[in-house]
Amino acid sequence: MKISFTPARLQDAPTLARLDKESFGAMAWPEDSFRSALRNPLQETEMAVADGKTLGYVLMNYQREAPSTACVDSLAVSPDARGQKLGEQLLLRGLETAANKGFQEVQLEVEKGNAPAEKLYEKYGFVPTGLLSGYYNGKDGTQMKLKDLQGTGAQLLAQRRQELAEKLGGIPSHIFTTAP
Ligand SMILES: CC(C)(COP(=O)(O)OP(=O)(O)OC[C@H]1O[C@@H](n2cnc3c(N)ncnc32)[C@H](O)[C@@H]1OP(=O)(O)O)[C@@H](O)C(=O)NCCC(=O)NCCS
């Protein structure tokens, strides 16, 4: 399966909302939330696409917190496409973009007990920085941060990229330096 990574456009809002529903159920973003994110120049969404089907996306936010902090607003992979390193590639590309933009750290929130996401974020150097009591419809969440994105964080990303490339037999270059 050949995967391409491509920036989402306004007309992708229904597709993203469908994918979100599959992944987050009642907590999914509606189409309008994706539309407003896609219109916002400080939010960037990248999708993984194969055979014309969108299999996952990462939504980065470059305005939400302190100026030196970028955020992963959302990340999801279609249930039938999980376990194939798509989530990892999407996250890596979002983090590399934040690093290229000069951010010092990346923040995100994850529901406590969401093991696949927690493990993925830990693998990419995120550490817990706060308890978000009742944040997810009454269920607790964890705030996590990847720190020192221009130093040790960048080194970890380079290492993870290398490991991924070895596993996958090469991964596409970064979206902002090479056309998808
Ligand atoms: C989290 C999510 C994006 C991972 O996507 P994925 O494409 O299936 O994950 P990958 O194949 O890229 O796996 C990469 C890493 O994630 C972690 N991981 C993924 N699935 C896992 C699982 N079932 N159990 C434990 N760890 C898992 C592992 O660290 C894995 O690395 P490894 O294979 O070297 O152990 C996906 O499970 C998803 O969309 N979940 C629902 C939405 C969600 O929770 N999003 C995060 C919101 S904060």
Side-chain angles (χ1 to χ4, degrees):
M1 180 168 59
K2 184 177 176 334
I3 309 283
S4 14
F5 293 89
T6 180
R9 300 148 304 166
L10 197 52
Q11 58 264 41
D12 295 313
T15 301
L16 294 169
R18 257 199 314 277
L19 191 52
D20 222 49
K21 188 86 184 157
E22 286 177 346
S23 288
F24 297 107
M27 284 189 294
W29 282 19
E31 273 182 45
D32 274 352
S33 299
F34 279 105
R35 270 193 206 96
S36 92
L38 292 165
R39 284 195 186 101
N40 184 343
L42 295 175
Q43 286 177 292
E44 291 176 8
T45 306
E46 191 173 7
M47 307 186 301
V49 179
D51 297 329
K53 192 172 174 223
T54 301
L55 300 179
Y57 75 88
V58 63
L59 200 175
M60 299 296 295
N61 187 325
Y62 300 113
Q63 66 172 356
R64 199 163 54 132
E65 297 295 333
S68 61
T69 307
C71 299
V72 180
D73 270 356
S74 192
L75 169 71
V77 171
S78 177
D80 54 8
R82 289 183 191 159
Q84 301 175 56
K85 307 286 179 208
L86 282 184
E88 191 166 341
Q89 290 182 77
L90 285 161
L91 179 65
L92 176 61
R93 294 162 76 87
L95 299 179
E96 287 180 336
T97 303
N100 287 350
K101 288 177 185 286
F103 284 91
Q104 300 293 331
E105 60 180 19
V106 180
Q107 178 181 312
L108 54 79
E109 295 87 33
V110 59
E111 188 176 331
K112 260 187 181 298
N114 180 352
E118 288 172 335
K119 294 280 175 226
L120 173 60
Y121 298 142
E122 283 163 15
K123 184 174 177 180
Y124 277 77
F126 283 84
V127 292
T129 48
L131 169 69
L132 304 165
S133 195
Y135 187 78
Y136 292 98
N137 283 354
K139 294 184 187 159
D140 290 349
T142 308
Q143 181 191 69
M144 300 183 89
K145 280 188 181 175
L146 168 60
K147 297 181 180 172
D148 197 17
L149 194 54
Q150 302 300 323
T152 52
Q155 287 162 15
L156 180 65
L157 294 189
Q159 189 186 327
R160 292 287 176 259
R161 170 171 275 276
Q162 179 63 33
E163 289 163 5
L164 258 180
E166 279 163 18
K167 268 189 198 146
L168 300 174
I171 59 174
S173 299
H174 194 277
I175 188 84
F176 292 105
T177 52
T178 308

